[in-house]
Amino acid sequence: MSGRFVLGLEIPPADQPALLASLERAVRERTDLQPRLGLVLGSGLGGLADALELEASIPFEELPGWPDATAPGHSGKLLFGRLSGVPVVVQQGRFHLYEGHSAGFVVQPVLLMGRLGARAVVLTNAAGGVNPEFGTGTLMAITDHLNLTGRSPLVGPNAPEIGDRFPDMTAVWDAELRSSLHAAADAEGVALADGVYACLMGPNYETPAEVRMLARLGADAVGMSTALEAVAARWAGLKVCGVSLVTNPGAGLSGAQLSHAEVLAAAQSAGPKLARIFARFIGDLD
């Protein structure tokens, strides 16, 4: 396949090895750092990378087949360096289905993290609150997810060298890593709830009726990312954990209209607390 970017191009699993090899070569021209962990930063959370001892910064558009990030609050870079002394790769911004990307393309960054050496990924996002007890600023460790996009990055011929045709999703969100997140939060004096994350396509926010539906389905927070990345990471044999930052009550819970500016402001406010959790969590990795 060509390295030229084509919006919406479907990427079946069987095509990923060659594409990932090309991406790996491009990265290795810039850095030889071997990350132990991958960290994906969601809307407005790019500032979490400020504590990184930076060794290399690669804009998305300088990697073969990748465009610049277009979502507000997503700077669009892969950062390589050390957090708390641990070598990591940080995805500052992400690609989304609502931008017109295919499911297979959206998950390429986390697959690349595994290709570069990471054995675990931490996924973050800004989310709307579905659980009425989760007010603005709540940090929620993800215990499970609902993929309601109708998409999967695993559709098409499989790549058995990456993962099984029918990967088990019983424990996609690693309990041991989540326990470590809680231990780090406790040590930093930061409240960390548990909950289920629901992923919808976007880019429109949910209706009040949809928020009520999600609550009945068992969701505690809702957003437009993360679930497909978790599926792909699990398929590739990576451990997965994640945190949602609740930036606003879901539609109909507060009576207020929703805006992305509100999301970014809440993320900027709560980001330092999340950064403290991650610094300790990563530093305590075995």
Side-chain angles (χ1 to χ4, degrees):
M1 294 183 61
S2 168
R4 182 175 62 88
F5 172 68
V6 179
L7 182 65
L9 178 69
E10 294 295 337
I11 303 176
D15 288 347
Q16 293 286 16
L19 295 171
L20 293 170
S22 177
L23 288 163
E24 181 183 19
R25 287 192 296 271
V27 167
R28 290 303 175 214
E29 291 176 357
R30 307 280 286 272
T31 178
D32 59 1
L33 183 134
Q34 301 287 326
R36 287 186 57 195
L37 182 86
L39 176 60
V40 180
L41 302 181
S43 293
L45 294 171
L48 293 177
D50 290 345
L52 183 69
E53 297 174 30
L54 186 65
E55 294 191 13
S57 173
I58 308 176
F60 286 171
E61 66 270 23
E62 293 182 11
L63 291 169
W66 285 14
D68 192 6
T70 65
H74 292 252
S75 63
K77 298 176 184 176
L78 281 187
L79 307 178
F80 294 84
R82 296 178 184 273
L83 278 172
S84 301
V86 177
V88 298
V89 52
V90 178
Q91 182 185 345
Q92 200 175 28
R94 53 162 47 102
F95 303 117
H96 302 82
L97 292 176
Y98 66 72
E99 296 171 279
H101 298 305
S102 68
F105 183 77
V106 164
V107 304
Q108 269 196 346
V110 295
L111 294 177
L112 177 60
M113 290 175 178
R115 177 103 182 186
L116 294 171
R119 301 320 308 153
V121 293
V122 182
L123 306 175
T124 72
N125 57 63
V130 175
N131 186 331
E133 297 182 5
F134 289 0
T136 297
T138 296
L139 296 175
M140 183 192 85
I142 302 173
T143 61
D144 207 343
H145 72 253
L146 295 165
N147 175 15
L148 302 178
T149 67
R151 307 284 188 88
S152 170
L154 307 184
V155 171
N158 191 41
E161 63 268 46
I162 297 180
D164 293 337
R165 170 76 286 190
F166 302 107
D168 177 51
M169 293 289 141
T170 304
V172 59
W173 297 93
D174 189 85
E176 184 176 352
L177 289 179
R178 186 166 66 253
S179 178
S180 295
L181 281 172
H182 276 287
D186 289 344
E188 291 295 327
V190 177
L192 182 63
D194 276 338
V196 175
Y197 175 83
C199 176
L200 276 67
M201 174 84 75
N204 55 287
Y205 291 114
E206 301 73 36
T207 67
E210 288 168 339
V211 170
R212 295 194 298 271
M213 174 194 72
L214 292 171
R216 291 187 175 93
L217 291 176
D220 294 290
V222 59
M224 306 171 192
S225 67
T226 304
L228 300 186
E229 294 158 319
V231 168
R234 180 66 170 172
W235 170 63
L238 303 177
K239 291 185 176 182
V240 182
C241 69
V243 177
S244 292
L245 166 59
V246 176
T247 56
N248 55 274
L253 295 183
S254 70
Q257 289 192 333
L258 305 181
S259 73
H260 197 64
E262 177 186 23
V263 169
L264 297 180
Q268 185 176 21
S269 175
K273 293 191 298 182
L274 190 53
R276 284 163 44 204
I277 293 175
F278 284 153
R280 186 173 290 269
F281 165 75
I282 292 171
D284 290 343
L285 287 176
D286 294 330

